[in-house]
Amino acid sequence: MSDAFTRSLIGKTDPSPYDQVIFLSQEMINKAFHNMWALTPKKNPPPLREFKKSYRTGDIDIKLDPPTINLMVTTKQDPQLYFMLNMKSGTIETYVSSDPADDTKKKFDVTGWKFGFSVKLASKTVPKNDAKFSAAVTQAGFSPDTYSLAQLYLDVSSSTKNTEQYNSYGSYDWKSETPETKAAFMGFCQNWWNIMSESNCTIIGYSVQAKKPDTTKVDTATFRPTSIDYFVYPWKDPDSYSPQLTDGSPKNALCYLMMSDFTKQPDRIGLEYSGTFVNGGGLYIMNSDIFWGKWLLPLLQGLNKGAEIIPDEPTNEYFPNPSDGYHWAAGMCYHVGVSGSHGTTDPYYAFTKSNWSPGTWTWSGKQRKWSKTVSDGSHTTHVVSQTSTTSTELSFDQGGQGVTLKGKTVFDFNVQFNWDNSPMGKPSHLTITSEWHFKMAVSRVDDGDLQFARVKQPTDEKPCTVTVVADPGDVTWKSGFESIKHNFSDTLNSYIDEDTHEIQNALLRSLKGQDRLFLPASGTFLMKDPKFNNRGDLLVTVSYNGAEPPDAPKHSTTQNAKLFMASKPGIHGPVSFNVQGLPPRIKEMKLPKLAVRTSEISIRVSAAA
């Protein structure tokens, strides 16, 4: 994490108060416009590539380079961006006078000319009877009763004046031209824009959002967007002590600002600057409050339930006439928490955010106790007691993909002889500490879904280890105390190792099934390199899931992926957005259906002579 951009991205960025944000850099959008332009037919070309027409004010015959946009970040109000008409070659002829009797024309070579339309982003709901709505239903797989379709487009209807900031006219001194010539050129540009709009070439994309909470519907993404706003986010040089905002920087970004699950929208639209999200390209970010608080942590509570070791009634028996001289037997008994009275969603199993270790959550179960006393019918009693405490820890790799789970069980076993309720010497005592760890990582983002995979354990590293602190006290063990110590501790550790292995498998099965996270851009973007910033927000690099420029390598797409892309036939505009039909979100980890069994081991003991 040595470069300034990565340090800013990982260490400073914050999408709050929004649940999810997609950043599309100006550079990325302009590349998409280039793709759209490159895919247009060269025979009978559309106005995106060529424009030839005669008007009352003159004639225009031009060939066009790909259109571009300039995102504005210094203006407090509109315009949010400029849409650039880039002329490759051609001519325009305009009348020099408004006098109908004067047919004098002036011809201009417009090679290399540029003209900027000051525009703002606008959105409107697409009616259900519109063909685009039907196409979206088919391609995105959502219910028309649950979702609405909004069209995001470039609106120049409010633009009443021409701003010369981004215009260029080659070698011509445009300021000296007559008002009639300037008006004719403006008319050409406005007519071109109108034709572009009628051809749906000014549409940036479509946004699908949920209209109402409806638990009867099953075609919902994990966190479906229920409100979407748009904003221009500035790029500031993270390597500069006094970075400046620059209009038209290729690294400025257009943002989709999304709230999920009908959470109230912020009163003020916009995103406060926190750090550098994109350095060109695109980024999807999910707020850590959503990723951890509403998805992964509640799901992982099941791990805490399954990993908890609970003592059962210990073995404690008295034999009046033993052949071997040992009158007593003592043993450990315990089981795992899969059969406990608490469900996996019970607040008892909830993780708590650590105040001392960033990016870490912990859980500590309550101390479990069980003691049993047996008398010889006279003065001697034999007391066997057990206590167990289980704790877990979850952490993520800041700037990386990994999630580490750790667990620890401390099991105390105590044997004490009493004479008339007073201790007969020191007790025999074992404290067995069993620790395990397990690491998984975000493995892929494909067709909108995010999954985890187990990280392979180093060959020289054991997933489950045990340490023992023991004192035989004044108790004589038939098999010898050292043998007892190893027997008891190895049995407990093996049991925990087997149990946690099953729980880990259950967790991975859950994360690969209905509990995997589906991002709201399914089928729209190619996604890669998921990672976490220091806050725990999920960051995913995005690029358009469509044709690349002719000189770039082609991407292969998933077969039958539900694409909703600008570069596909019949859909115009470089940016699109959809929600794929999915099963409802599952909030509970499914624990393995292990047989409820008790682990028991007992050894003959007697009071020391």
Side-chain angles (χ1 to χ4, degrees), residues 17-18 80 228-232 255 257 265-272:
Y18 293 94
Q80 295 167 297
I228 305 175
D229 287 316
Y230 311 100
F231 184 69
V232 175
C255 307
L257 307 174
Q265 292 176 264
D267 294 330
R268 180 175 172 270
I269 297 174
L271 192 64
E272 292 292 331

Side-chain angles (χ1 to χ4, degrees), residues 45-47 49-55 59-64 91 192 195:
R49 185 178 284 272
E50 291 186 16
F51 186 46
K52 182 177 182 179
K53 208 165 183 67
S54 294
Y55 294 95
D59 308 303
I60 183 168
D61 183 0
I62 60 174
K63 288 181 172 60
L64 299 169
T91 60
W192 174 82
I195 293 174

